[in-house]
Amino acid sequence: MRANDGVDLAVEWGQVHALLGENGAGKSTLMNVVYGLVSPDSGEIDFDGNPVKIGGPQDAIRLGIGMVHQHFMLIPPLTVAENIVLGREIASAGVVNLDRSYRTVNDLSARYGLEVDPRQRVQDLSVGVQQRVEILKALYRGARLLILDEPTAVLTPQEIEGLFEIVRTLTAAGNAVIFITHKLAEVMEIADQITVMRRGQVVGVTTPAESKPADLARMMVGRPVLLRVEKQPAKPGSEVLRVDDLVVHDDRRQLAVDHVGLAVRAGEILGIAGVEGNGQNELVEAIVGLRPARSGKVLLEGKDITRRPTRDRLRRGVGLIPADRQRQGIILELPIADNLILSDYDRPPYERWLVRQFNTIRSAAERLVETFDIRIRSVDDPAGSLSGGNQQKLVVARELGTAPKVLVASQPTRGVDVGSIEFIHRRLVTERDAGLAVLLVSSELDEILSLADRVAVLYRGRIVAVLDAAEAEREHIGLLMAGAAA
Amino acid sequence: MRRFRAGWLVSSLLVPLASVVAGFLVGALAIVAAGADPLQAYGALFAGAFTNRNAFAETLVSTVPYVLLGLGLALGFRAGLFNIGAEGQFYIGALTGVFVGYSIHGLPLFIEIPAALLAGMAGGFAWAAIAGFLKAWTGAHEVITSIMLNYVAFLVANYLIDGANGKPGVMVAPNVSTPRTPDVDLGAMLPIIVPGSRLHLGLLLALIAVPLVWFLIERTTVGFRLRAVGFNQGTARAAGISVAQTIVLTMGISGALAGAAGIVQVLGLSHHMTDTVAAGYGFDAIAIALLARSNPWGVLPAALLFGALHNGAGFMQLETQVSSDLISIVQASLIIFVAAPAIVRWLLRLREQPVETVQITQREVETPVG
Amino acid sequence: GGTTGGTSSSCSKTFKVGQVTDIGKLSDKSFNFDANVGLKAAQSDPSLCVKGAVIESTSEDDYAKNIQTFLDQKYDMIVTVGFKLGDATLKAAQDNPGVKFAIVDYTYKTYPSNLAGLVFSEDQPGFLAGALAGLLTKTNVIGEVAGLESVPPVVHYVQGFENGAKFTNPKVHPLHIYQPESGAKDFNDPDWGKQQALTFIGQGADIIFGVGGNTGNGGLIGANEQGKMCVGVDVDQYLFFPELRRCFITSAEKLVHNGVKTAITNLVKGTWVSGTVSYNLKNNGVALGPYHDFDSKISASSKAKIKDIMTKLKDGSLSTGVTA
Amino acid sequence: MTAFLQQLDPVSLVSIMLITATPLVLAALGGMMCERSGVVNIALEGIMLTGAFIGYFVAFLTQNLWLGLLAAIVSGMLIATLHAVLSVSFLVDQIVSGTVINILAVGVTGVFYRTYLETATTAGPGTLPHWNLPLLSSIPVLGPILFQNQLVTYAMLVLIFVVHFVLFNTVWGLRTRACGENPRAAETAGINVYFVRYVNVIASGALAGLGGAYFSLQQIGTFLPNMTGGRGFIALAAMIFGKWTPGGAFLASLLFTGSDQLGSRLQSVFQVHVPLQFLGMLPYVLTIVVVAGAMGRAIAPAAVGRPYKKT
Ligand SMILES: Nc1ncnc2c1ncn2[C@@H]1O[C@H](COP(=O)(O)OP(=O)(O)OP(=O)(O)O)[C@@H](O)[C@H]1O
Ligand SMILES: Nc1ncnc2c1ncn2[C@@H]1O[C@H](COP(=O)(O)OP(=O)(O)OP(=O)(O)O)[C@@H](O)[C@H]1O
Ligand SMILES: [Mg+2]
Ligand SMILES: [Mg+2]
C-alpha cells in the first residue's frame, strides 16, 4: 500500500513490518493516514492489491485495519468491556448487553493471553494494562492489519515478550503487523521487514538479517549513534534529596506510595525501576509537592520541604521531568519559547517589575533549542505543533537548562528517537559528573541499567529491592518488577 | 508574499465586513416579519446612534460600561473561568462605590473620584472572589456560584436601598420619595467631557482600561500565569504556579472591572444608585467579550457596536413603533456571523483558510483545582 | 404594530405625545401598558388630533435619554410611567418649560407649571373589592398575591383590600404575599404567582386577589384552575382574560388610561393642569369593576352594602384606613 | 403541632415543589444529553422561552393544545439545530452560540408577541387538562403529589428514567458518553462524532422545548415575555449540581423549588416578618452552600465545551 509525502511502504501478509524514524519523521502521521484519521493530500492506498478509499476509521475498521495509538485512545470513565466493544457494541434492540460483552472480552483475553478485568474502569488501570485493552480493541474488531505505534514503551520485559507472542501468532495466522518503535533491539527480534523514515521520507528498506542496530540508527538519524552510554563510575558527594518513610495516596484515595524511603546524593543517578502504575507518579508528585504526603518526610539538603509549595521546591533547586509531557510538561497552546522558560517565567532575567522580558526569553529559548537540537520552525510556534519526541526534548531542555540541584526525571526519553536518547543520556551523565543528583524513574529497563548507579525496584508502592547497578542483572530485576518476591 | 497579503486582506477586512453585512441582512428579515420597513428601521437606528443631536455622545455613554464589563469577562475567559456574575459584581461595585461617594465631602475631585472608583472596584473584586474562592478550594463550579451570586447581589442592593417590611433601607436618601441612595459628593461626580451631552470622564477611564488590561494579560507575569492556568492546569501546577491563588486573583480582577463599570455608571450619570442600576447589562457583557474573542482590543469595537445598537434602539422604536426587543434580534444575528467567520468564508466560497476552531473560553474542565 | 397615524385630516395642529416606559416595558400588563392604552385612546379620538409614540427603556440609564429623544423630535407632551422616572422627568420638565409632562404614579413636593403627577387612590377600589370579598367568602379565608412591596400602589391595594374585607366580615382571615424582589421577574413571574394562590387555597382561601402585573395574574389563573373566586386589578380584567371569566367577582380598577387621556385632553383643549392630580372615586379615576357573571350570584343586600360603602368613601364619612 | 402541620400543608408543599421543578428538570435533562456528548448548552433558557412562545402561538392559532405542545418541542429542536450547526459544524465556541440563542430568543419572542399576541382579545385554548390517574390518584399522600398532574409534569417524571436508561444502558448512550469524554478516541472506534453530537443537541432542544410548554401551555395558558424568568440557568445549575445524572438533577431541582416554596410560606402562611429579600435569597444561598460544601467538585465530561475538529 502507498501513502503520500512521497512515502512508499509495502506490507506483506503474514509479516511484521517495523517502521523506524527520528522524532517528527512522520511515522504516526503516515499511520494516521492509513487508519483514516488524517486524509492524505495525494497518493493512494492499495489493500489486498486493489486501491481503497479510507475516509475515516470506519472504513479502516471495515477493511480489517486496527491501530494501537501511543497516546491511548481510551475513555477513562468507561469500563474495559465498554471501551473494547465501543462502536461495535454487543446489543439487542439498541440496548447494550453487558453480560455478553463481558463474556466476549473474557474469551478474547483468554485466547490471546492478554489478561484484563472487563468490569474495571479504564481510569483505574495501569498503563501496561491499558495497552492490553488497546490491543484487545483492535483484535475484537477482527484486525487483519494491526498497526502498533510505539506499543512497548510502557510494558515490562515479560509483557513485551507476551506482546511479541501475540504478534507472532497473528502473523502466523496470515495477518500483517506494522510495528513502530524507537527500540532497535525489539526491531531485530520481531521484524521481518524494516522501513526507516526521516523528515517525512523513506530513507531505507531492509531486514534484520541485512543490517545491524548501528546501521539502522545511522539510517534514522543520518549520523553514527553510540547506542551504549559511556560513563565513569559515580563519585557521589553529599546527600541532596532524602525521602523518609513516605506515604502517598492516589486520586482515588488509595494507598499508592507505601512507606518509601530513599536518598539521592550529589553526583549519582538513582534509578527507580518498575512497571508504570506502581506508585512512580505519586512518589514523584509528592517529592515536587504536587501531591500531599499522608505521612513521612521529604528533605532537600537536610531541610524539611514536606509541606513547602511546589514553587518553593523548584526555587530551592528541584527539577522535574514529568512522565506525562502533555498533562504536566508543556502547554501545547503556548509558544515554544514560553514553554522553555516555564518554571522561571516570573524571575529575572525573564521578568522585571512584573513585566516579562521577551527578548531575553526568546534568546534563552533559542539557545536551548540549539543545544538540545529540538526540531522546530520558530520558537514562536505553539508547542503543540511539535512531534511527540520533540515535545519531550523541549521538557528535558528546560529542566536541565535551569541547573537544578536534584533532577527528578520520569520517563525522560519516552517516545524519543535513538539519536535524541543518546544525547539526553549523555547530558544526564555529564550533569551527574558535574554534581547533579538524579532520581531517574523509568519503565525502560535498558535505560535504568545503562544510566543508573544504583537501582531501586518499586512494586505496588513499596521499594522491594535496592541493588548496585553494576551487579544488577536484567532478568532478576524484570522478575522483581513483575512482583516476584526479592 | 503577495498571496500572504491577499490572505491577510481577506481575513482581516473582507470577512469581518461581510460578517456585519450578513448580520444586518438577517436582522432585516426579522424587521420585515415584525411588520416594519427595514430601511426606515436601520436608518433610524443609525441616526439614533450617530447623526442625531448628541447621538454619538450618547452612544459613547452606553459604550463605557460595556467596555469595562467586556474587559472583565474577557480576562476571566483567558484563564478558563466563565464568570457569569458580571451583573452581580456591577451591583456590588456600584454599592460600595456610591457609599464612599456620598460619605466623603469637600475633598478635591482628584481624591474623591479615585476613592469612589477604588471602593467600587474593591467591592466587585471581593464579590467575584467569592466565586473564585469557592471554585479553588471546594471545586464548586463558577457557573453555578456566579449565577446564584447575581441574584444575591441584587437582593443585597435592594435590601440596603429599598428596605423591607415598610422600613426604609439603610442606604436610602433622606427625604426623597423614591428608593435611591443620596447623591454622591460633588467632587466625586465624573465631569462632563462634551458640553451639552451626558458624555463623562468615564469614557477616558474605559479607554485607558483597554491597553492596561491588554498589557496585564499579554505582557505581565500575572497575565502569563492566568493564561497558563487557563490552558493547562496540570502543567501550570507542575511549574510552581498556584492554580487556586490564580483563580481567585483572576476572578477578582474580572469582578473589579465589572465593579468599575457599576460605579462609573453612578458617578458619571445618575450620581446616585437604585436597585435597577445593573438591569440588562449581564448578558450584553458576555456577548461583548465573546465577540471580542476575549481580546482586550477586540472589546473596544464590540462594545462600541453594542453601545450604538443600544443607543440607536430608542429612536428606531420611536420611528417604527416595533418592540424594543427587535434590537436583540439584530444583536444576535450580528454575533452569529462575526463569531463564526467560517460561515462567511463558506458563503464567500473562500477556501484559503480552513475552518479553524475559535476557542474563546479556554475552560479546562477535566482537572479540578486542589 | 405601533400607534403611528390616527390623526384625522381636520386637524389644524397635530399634538405629538410620547410615552417613556420604565424597564418593566409595555408588556408589564400593568401601568406601562394601561398608560399606553390611554395614549392610544387619545390618538384614536379624532377630536384630539394626537400622534402618539412610545419608547421602552431597556436600562435605567435610558430614562433621561429616551425623554430627550422625544424632546429632540419636538414632541408637545411626554408621559412617563413610574417613580423610577421621577428624577429624569422633573429635570426634563424644568429644562423644557415649553413641553408638557405627565408622570404616572408619582408626586413631587413642588412642580414646574408644565408637569403633572397623576396619582390614584388604589386603597379605595381595593377597599370596595375587599368588602365584596368579605361578603362572598364562605371559608372566611382570602388571599392576595401581590407584586413588590417596595411599590406603594401595590401596598395601597393590599391594605385597602384587607381593611375592606374586615369591614364587612370581622371573622375573615386575610393572607397576603408580596413577590420577593428579583429584578428580572418583578411583576412578571406568573408561575410563582399561581403557586402562591394554590398555597392560599391549600390554607382554605376561596377568593384570590391578584395585584401585581403578571405575577398577580398568575394568582388569578391559580384561583380559576381550582374553581375559586378571583378579583382582578387595575382594569376590568374580565375583558382581558376571557379564559378566566368564571372566576372574576369584580376588579379593583385604577383607570390609568383615563388619567393619561384626560391629561392629554387638557393639553389639547388648553386646560392643562399642573401639580398633583389625584384620581379617586369622586372623579372616577378609580372604580369597582362590574360583577359580570357573578351579578346574579350576589345578593341584593350585599350589593346595597357595597353601594353604601362607596358613597361613604366618596363623601369621606368612611376611610379606608390606609395612609398613602 | 397539628395547627403547624395544617399551616405547612406538606402534601401541597411537596406537590408544588414537584410541579415547579418540572421545567428545571426537563431543561436539565436536555442540557445533560447535550453535555454528555461534549457540547455545552447554555442556551436552555432561550430554548425554553422559544418553546413557550411558539407552543402557545400555534395553540392559539389552531386553538389546539396538543398541536401547541408538538410545536413547542419542534421549535426547541429547530433552535437547537442552530446551536449544533454553529458549534459542531462551524466550530463556533459553544458558549458563544448558546449566548446568541439566548439573545435571539428574547428578541424573537418579544417582537412577535408584541406584533401578534399582545393585543389579541380572543381567548387561548386554556391549559393542559389535569389527569387524575385511576386508582393511583386516590392513594393517600402519594396520589395528590404524583398522580393528579398535567401532561408535562407526568412527562418530566417519566423522562427522568428514560434519559437515565438511554445514557447508561443503550448503545446510543455509550457512544454519547464516549464523544463527551474523548471524541478522538470515539472516532478511532469508528463513531461519527458529529452525528452523535448533532442528535444529542437536537434532543436537548426537544426536552427544553417541552420545558417551555410547561409555562405557556400547562401553567399559565398564555405567553408572556420572558416568562421563563431565568429558570434555564437554574436548570443548568441543577444539572451540574446533579453531576450530569438525571436523578441528581431531579433532586437538585427539588432542593431549589423546595427552598423557594419554604421562603414563600414563611411570609404568606407563617407571616414571619424577616425582610423579603432574605427569603428571596434562600434558594440561591442554599444552592451555593450545598454546591460548595456537600457536593464538592463537579467533574464535567472531559471534552465538554471543546469543538471537535477532524485532522
Ligand atoms: N495533526 C497534525 N497537524 C499538524 N502537524 C502535525 C500533525 N501531526 C503531526 N504533525 C507534524 O508532522 C510531523 C510528523 O509528526 P509524527 O508524529 O508523525 O512524527 P513521528 O515520526 O511520530 O515522531 P515521533 O517519533 O516523535 O512520534 C511532526 O513535525 C509533527 O509536528
Ligand atoms: N492537531 C495537531 N496540531 C499540531 N500538532 C499535532 C496535532 N496532532 C498531533 N500533533 C503533533 O504530532 C505529534 C504526533 O502526533 P501523535 O499524537 O500521533 O504522536 P505519537 O507519535 O502517536 O505519540 P508520541 O508523542 O509518542 O510520538 C504529536 O505528539 C503532536 O505533537
Ligand atoms: Mg509518532
Ligand atoms: Mg511518536
Side-chain angles (χ1 to χ4, degrees):
Chain A
M1 68 187 178
R2 312 173 68 255
N4 68 340
D5 307 21
V7 173
D8 291 71
L9 179 70
V11 179
E12 314 274 320
W13 289 120
Q15 286 204 344
V16 177
H17 196 113
L19 186 55
L20 299 184
E22 62 181 347
N23 296 122
K27 308 181 294 293
S28 303
T29 310
L30 176 61
M31 290 304 109
N32 286 342
V33 169
V34 173
Y35 194 64
L37 277 173
V38 177
S39 39
D41 308 324
S42 75
E44 71 185 34
I45 301 174
D46 295 4
F47 196 80
D48 272 346
N50 30 33
V52 289
K53 170 95 193 63
I54 301 182
Q58 307 93 306
D59 302 346
I61 294 168
R62 207 176 302 108
L63 287 169
I65 302 174
M67 179 164 176
V68 172
H69 301 257
Q70 169 151 14
H71 294 153
F72 289 145
M73 293 296 180
L74 296 171
I75 290 137
L78 299 187
T79 65
V80 169
E82 286 173 327
N83 268 281
I84 290 174
V85 301
L86 182 65
R88 276 188 55 189
E89 298 80 359
I90 301 172
S92 43
V95 181
V96 179
N97 184 332
L98 279 177
D99 297 339
R100 274 187 49 216
S101 310
Y102 292 147
R103 259 183 275 115
T104 315
V105 171
N106 278 329
D107 300 349
L108 206 60
S109 72
R111 172 136 46 93
Y112 292 99
L114 290 164
E115 204 182 311
V116 294
D117 172 359
R119 286 180 171 73
Q120 256 185 317
R121 291 184 181 287
V122 164
Q123 66 197 18
D124 302 348
L125 300 179
S126 75
V127 196
V129 180
Q130 292 188 24
Q131 180 67 276
R132 292 185 214 146
V133 178
E134 277 285 16
I135 297 168
L136 284 170
K137 248 169 83 180
L139 297 175
Y140 169 77
R141 285 165 172 68
R144 294 152 57 211
L145 167 61
L146 183 61
I147 302 168
L148 303 169
D149 190 349
E150 299 180 44
T152 55
V154 295
L155 302 180
T156 60
Q158 287 77 7
E159 286 175 316
I160 293 176
E161 262 321 307
L163 176 64
F164 285 178
E165 275 316 307
I166 297 160
V167 170
R168 293 198 186 92
T169 34
L170 284 172
T171 44
N175 303 304
V177 173
I178 299 179
F179 193 97
I180 300 180
T181 184
H182 293 294
K183 302 183 202 168
L184 301 175
E186 296 174 353
V187 177
M188 304 310 283
E189 179 179 349
I190 192 78
D192 304 304
Q193 281 277 325
I194 304 173
T195 296
V196 181
M197 292 179 67
R198 192 188 329 142
R199 304 249 156 92
Q201 266 136 24
V202 170
V203 292
V205 181
T206 171
T207 64
E210 293 164 11
S211 40
K212 288 190 246 358
D215 314 329
L216 295 174
R218 197 184 320 100
M219 271 201 264
M220 282 170 63
V221 187
R223 59 176 170 80
V225 183
L226 279 179
L227 295 176
R228 297 198 62 273
V229 186
E230 305 286 318
K231 71 183 214 287
Q232 313 305 322
K235 306 179 200 58
S238 60
E239 185 177 280
V240 180
L241 177 71
R242 173 173 201 84
V243 172
D244 278 337
D245 196 32
L246 193 66
V247 176
V248 187
H249 288 181
D250 63 17
D251 296 333
R252 305 188 308 283
R253 299 200 173 68
Q254 305 300 317
L255 184 65
V257 174
D258 186 359
H259 298 279
V260 163
L262 53 81
V264 193
R265 298 154 70 192
E268 79 163 343
I269 299 178
L270 172 62
I272 304 270
V275 181
E276 281 210 292
N278 276 278
Q280 290 97 327
N281 293 345
E282 288 78 7
L283 174 61
V284 167
E285 291 184 0
I287 291 174
V288 294
L290 294 172
R291 191 178 283 278
R294 289 263 161 274
S295 72
K297 274 193 173 41
V298 179
L299 300 116
L300 181 64
E301 294 180 313
K303 279 188 248 41
D304 185 344
I305 57 167
T306 319
R307 300 263 167 276
R308 312 297 306 158
T310 302
R311 173 191 164 79
D312 196 44
R313 305 187 195 207
L314 303 186
R315 292 282 177 277
R316 292 167 187 242
V318 178
L320 169 68
I321 298 173
D324 185 337
R325 57 177 169 255
Q326 297 205 340
R327 287 195 78 253
Q328 293 188 310
I330 53 175
I331 298 178
L332 293 167
E333 297 85 347
L334 287 180
I336 291 161
D338 287 340
N339 276 284
L340 278 166
I341 53 106
L342 200 54
S343 33
D344 286 329
Y345 77 98
D346 61 345
R347 324 169 67 178
Y350 306 127
E351 173 266 6
R352 204 184 306 123
W353 304 110
L354 288 184
V355 180
R356 309 188 62 221
Q357 304 300 315
F358 287 98
N359 297 337
T360 335
I361 294 172
R362 283 187 113 272
S363 48
E366 270 152 1
R367 253 197 323 281
L368 286 170
V369 167
E370 183 62 38
T371 13
F372 287 81
D373 177 40
I374 308 172
R375 302 289 169 80
I376 65 166
R377 267 177 245 88
S378 144
V379 292
D380 302 325
D381 289 350
S385 64
L386 298 176
S387 84
N390 280 304
Q391 291 175 4
Q392 185 66 30
K393 285 200 272 183
L394 187 158
V395 178
V396 175
R398 176 180 69 217
E399 294 306 321
L400 288 178
T402 58
K405 297 195 182 100
V406 55
L407 176 65
V408 181
S410 195
Q411 321 292 354
T413 58
R414 163 163 305 162
V416 173
D417 63 48
V418 281
S420 315
I421 290 176
E422 175 201 29
F423 174 81
I424 293 174
H425 283 177
R426 258 214 245 100
R427 260 324 266 251
L428 286 174
V429 172
T430 19
E431 295 291 336
R432 178 202 75 169
D433 297 340
L436 174 69
V438 180
L439 181 67
L440 171 69
V441 179
S442 175
S443 50
E444 308 264 350
L445 205 36
D446 297 325
E447 181 162 57
I448 298 273
L449 290 173
S450 56
L451 277 183
D453 304 307
R454 292 185 299 133
V455 182
V457 182
L458 195 62
Y459 178 71
R460 300 241 165 111
R462 299 176 146 280
I463 296 216
V464 290
V466 182
L467 316 132
D468 194 328
E471 68 257 14
E473 95 289 313
R474 249 182 153 286
E475 286 60 32
H476 178 50
I477 296 184
L479 289 171
L480 290 171
M481 286 168 61
Chain B
M1 265 302 100
R2 198 190 292 101
R3 277 183 67 245
F4 168 80
R5 271 238 177 66
W8 176 86
L9 214 69
V10 165
S11 57
S12 68
L13 288 175
L14 178 59
V15 169
L17 224 66
S19 308
V20 175
V21 173
F24 276 112
L25 283 179
V26 173
L29 298 180
I31 298 177
V32 174
D37 164 8
L39 286 180
Q40 183 205 21
Y42 281 142
L45 183 62
F46 187 82
F50 298 108
T51 56
N52 282 355
R53 181 175 153 279
N54 272 340
F56 188 56
E58 277 295 340
T59 291
L60 293 177
V61 170
S62 324
T63 305
V64 171
Y66 285 146
V67 172
L68 293 167
L69 286 164
L71 288 174
L73 266 74
L75 184 112
F77 290 162
R78 294 298 290 274
L81 295 170
F82 190 59
N83 172 13
I84 276 195
E87 190 154 326
Q89 294 139 21
F90 188 111
Y91 269 118
I92 300 298
L95 213 50
T96 50
V98 78
F99 177 75
V100 170
Y102 69 67
S103 304
I104 49 180
H105 293 294
L107 303 170
L109 83 172
F110 61 82
I111 297 183
E112 290 201 348
I113 289 176
L117 268 177
L118 286 177
M121 294 176 73
F125 187 104
W127 196 254
I130 298 174
F133 179 86
L134 290 173
K135 183 192 180 72
W137 273 277
T138 75
H141 201 299
E142 78 272 15
V143 168
I144 304 186
T145 51
S146 58
I147 292 177
M148 300 297 157
L149 285 168
N150 279 342
Y151 296 104
V152 178
F154 166 78
L155 289 165
V156 169
N158 181 274
Y159 174 69
L160 293 175
I161 297 170
D162 286 22
N165 311 125
K167 289 184 244 25
V170 298
M171 285 179 70
V172 78
N175 57 54
V176 294
S177 48
T178 61
R180 64 171 181 84
T181 69
D183 280 341
V184 296
D185 192 50
L186 226 66
M189 301 180 179
L190 291 171
I192 297 295
I193 57 175
V194 170
S197 80
R198 295 198 305 165
L199 185 54
H200 53 82
L201 195 67
L203 179 67
L204 267 59
L205 296 177
L207 289 180
I208 297 166
V210 172
L212 283 184
V213 172
W214 171 84
F215 190 83
L216 178 77
I217 295 176
E218 301 295 338
R219 289 279 180 272
T220 68
T221 53
V222 179
F224 182 75
R225 233 171 93 180
L226 71 88
R227 279 185 296 138
V229 169
F231 282 126
N232 185 335
Q233 293 188 354
T235 300
R237 203 174 293 116
I241 296 172
S242 163
V243 171
Q245 203 192 66
T246 307
I247 285 176
V248 176
L249 184 69
T250 311
M251 275 304 266
I253 299 175
S254 166
L257 284 157
I263 187 57
V264 163
Q265 280 303 83
V266 170
L267 300 182
L269 293 175
S270 55
H271 303 138
H272 56 251
M273 177 185 172
T274 76
D275 67 349
T276 48
V277 68
Y281 280 110
F283 271 96
D284 289 353
I286 297 174
I288 288 163
L290 296 173
L291 259 185
R293 306 260 171 92
S294 307
N295 170 344
W297 290 112
V299 167
L300 213 45
L304 188 63
L305 176 67
F306 268 61
L309 293 175
H310 178 104
N311 183 43
F315 190 59
M316 179 166 81
Q317 182 173 31
L318 189 160
E319 291 289 313
T320 63
Q321 287 301 298
V322 175
S323 160
S324 60
D325 292 326
L326 183 59
I327 208 66
S328 308
I329 302 182
V330 181
Q331 280 177 353
S333 39
L334 278 170
I335 300 172
I336 291 180
F337 288 97
V338 177
I343 299 179
V344 180
R345 290 224 176 77
W346 176 71
L347 289 172
L348 300 176
R349 297 286 181 280
L350 294 174
R351 285 269 176 274
E352 283 88 283
Q353 292 94 336
V355 178
E356 262 314 321
T357 92
V358 184
Q359 186 74 15
I360 290 149
T361 55
Q362 307 157 345
R363 273 152 326 123
E364 204 202 36
V365 260
E366 57 268 49
T367 53
V369 192
Chain C
T3 62
T4 36
T7 57
S8 74
S9 50
S10 64
C11 298
S12 53
K13 173 189 193 314
T14 305
F15 290 86
K16 295 203 286 179
V17 181
Q19 176 191 354
V20 177
T21 74
D22 75 359
I23 55 179
K25 301 195 175 179
L26 286 187
S27 45
D28 69 347
K29 282 259 196 305
S30 183
F31 57 7
N32 286 305
F33 179 78
D34 298 343
N36 192 246
V37 172
L39 178 59
K40 285 178 174 167
Q43 174 170 253
S44 47
D45 178 341
S47 70
L48 291 181
C49 302
V50 167
K51 171 185 180 304
V54 62
I55 298 180
E56 297 171 285
S57 305
T58 48
S59 79
E60 73 167 28
D61 307 304
D62 298 347
Y63 298 149
K65 184 185 73 191
N66 293 342
I67 293 174
Q68 190 59 45
T69 307
F70 280 122
L71 290 170
D72 294 340
Q73 298 305 308
K74 304 274 171 294
Y75 269 58
D76 304 283
M77 176 176 175
I78 295 166
V79 178
T80 62
V81 184
F83 64 79
K84 293 197 173 102
L85 283 90
D87 296 348
T89 308
L90 178 60
K91 186 170 182 317
Q94 285 159 340
D95 301 350
N96 304 275
V99 181
K100 298 285 186 285
F101 290 83
I103 181 167
V104 175
D105 272 359
Y106 194 66
T107 61
Y108 303 90
K109 290 186 186 57
T110 58
Y111 291 79
S113 64
N114 59 330
L115 173 57
L118 317 180
V119 289
F120 301 77
S121 315
E122 298 89 359
D123 54 322
Q124 292 182 333
F127 191 93
L128 286 164
L132 181 64
L135 294 168
L136 291 187
T137 177
K138 302 193 175 39
T139 60
N140 288 334
V141 183
I142 59 177
E144 303 111 53
V145 179
L148 301 186
E149 191 176 18
S150 57
V151 177
V154 174
V155 181
H156 299 161
Y157 270 126
V158 170
Q159 292 177 349
F161 187 81
E162 296 194 343
N163 295 352
K166 294 210 187 83
F167 181 79
T168 53
N169 179 353
K171 295 196 304 303
V172 80
H173 177 47
L175 299 167
H176 67 250
I177 184 164
Y178 290 102
Q179 180 183 9
E181 307 271 353
S182 72
K185 289 182 286 179
D186 292 353
F187 292 95
N188 192 33
D189 197 350
D191 189 35
W192 181 88
K194 178 181 176 180
Q195 303 311 334
Q196 302 318 311
L198 296 185
T199 305
F200 287 145
I201 291 164
Q203 299 298 312
D206 61 352
I207 300 180
I208 300 295
F209 181 30
V211 49
N214 291 323
T215 304
N217 295 340
L220 306 179
I221 289 162
N224 181 66
E225 187 181 288
Q226 299 294 312
K228 306 297 181 191
M229 296 174 275
C230 68
V231 176
V233 78
D234 285 345
V235 295
D236 182 3
Q237 290 194 299
Y238 181 94
L239 306 175
F240 286 85
F241 285 97
E243 58 271 30
L244 303 185
R245 284 193 174 144
R246 65 186 169 89
C247 88
F248 281 108
I249 58 174
T250 183
S251 295
E253 293 186 28
K254 165 189 179 183
L255 308 171
V256 173
H257 49 286
N258 282 2
V260 170
K261 187 179 178 203
T262 312
I264 297 174
T265 314
N266 292 343
L267 165 73
V268 175
K269 306 281 184 227
T271 58
W272 173 259
V273 257
S274 66
T276 300
V277 183
S278 19
Y279 289 94
N280 48 38
L281 288 169
K282 264 212 249 19
N283 57 18
N284 300 324
V286 299
L288 183 69
Y291 306 136
H292 292 294
D293 303 359
F294 270 81
D295 196 68
S296 52
K297 305 195 191 71
I298 301 172
S299 70
S301 67
S302 301
K303 288 178 181 167
K305 275 210 190 67
I306 300 296
K307 238 190 180 49
D308 173 54
I309 296 172
M310 193 171 325
T311 37
K312 287 206 171 75
L313 286 174
K314 273 186 185 161
D315 63 30
S317 57
L318 174 64
S319 143
T320 63
V322 179
T323 50
Chain D
M1 187 58 212
T2 53
F4 171 81
L5 272 184
Q6 193 276 328
Q7 284 190 309
L8 186 66
D9 193 358
V11 171
S12 100
L13 175 68
V14 175
S15 119
I16 292 179
M17 280 167 60
L18 192 73
I19 294 170
T20 46
T22 304
L24 300 182
V25 175
L26 285 170
L29 291 177
M32 208 174 296
M33 294 294 288
C34 208
E35 301 212 349
R36 281 282 184 174
S37 76
V39 180
V40 174
N41 194 341
I42 196 180
L44 295 170
E45 174 76 3
I47 298 176
M48 277 207 288
L49 191 58
T50 312
F53 175 75
I54 301 292
Y56 177 72
F57 200 20
V58 170
F60 176 79
L61 294 177
T62 63
Q63 288 296 315
N64 179 329
L65 280 167
W66 308 106
L67 287 178
L69 198 62
L70 188 67
I73 296 171
V74 172
S75 62
M77 293 167 78
L78 286 177
I79 194 159
T81 310
L82 173 63
H83 186 36
V85 171
L86 288 175
S87 61
V88 178
S89 297
F90 285 102
L91 307 172
V92 175
D93 182 287
Q94 297 167 1
I95 300 284
V96 180
S97 82
T99 307
V100 164
I101 286 172
N102 286 331
I103 298 176
L104 192 64
V106 169
V108 170
T109 57
V111 168
F112 293 115
Y113 167 79
R114 175 69 46 80
T115 322
Y116 300 111
L117 286 180
E118 186 163 63
T119 48
T121 46
T122 50
T127 56
L128 294 165
H130 280 260
W131 288 337
N132 296 358
L133 302 191
L135 300 176
L136 291 174
S137 58
S138 48
I139 304 170
V141 173
L142 287 182
I145 294 176
L146 288 175
F147 304 116
Q148 302 181 8
N149 284 304
Q150 291 150 285
L151 179 65
V152 182
T153 302
Y154 284 126
M156 176 271 288
L157 290 170
V158 175
L159 282 165
I160 292 171
F161 296 95
V162 173
V163 171
H164 181 93
F165 183 80
V166 169
L167 278 178
F168 299 108
N169 297 77
T170 66
V171 170
W172 184 260
L174 183 61
R175 296 183 174 191
T176 299
R177 286 179 289 145
C179 294
E181 292 291 340
N182 184 347
R184 199 171 165 80
E187 195 190 353
T188 60
I191 294 170
N192 182 340
V193 177
Y194 291 175
F195 177 74
V196 170
R197 288 190 167 180
Y198 256 86
V199 173
N200 279 284
V201 173
I202 293 171
S204 80
L207 286 159
L210 181 60
Y214 161 90
F215 296 96
S216 59
L217 298 181
Q218 168 165 312
Q219 294 303 106
I220 305 308
T222 182
F223 174 83
L224 298 164
N226 191 33
M227 74 192 302
T228 50
R231 286 172 179 82
F233 298 103
I234 305 298
L236 202 64
M239 173 197 70
I240 298 170
F241 182 12
K243 296 188 172 173
W244 289 266
T245 64
F250 178 63
L251 294 179
S253 305
L254 284 184
L255 170 86
F256 193 86
T257 56
S259 50
D260 189 19
Q261 289 305 320
L262 230 47
S264 311
R265 268 176 162 66
L266 280 180
Q267 184 201 164
S268 62
V269 180
F270 297 101
Q271 303 183 341
V272 179
H273 280 297
V274 288
L276 293 191
Q277 291 90 344
F278 296 165
L279 296 185
M281 276 181 213
L282 202 59
Y284 308 119
V285 174
L286 201 63
T287 310
I288 293 177
V289 170
V290 178
V291 168
M295 179 191 62
R297 307 203 150 70
I299 306 299
V304 80
R306 318 207 154 187
Y308 176 62
K309 175 156 162 270
K310 282 181 147 183
T311 37

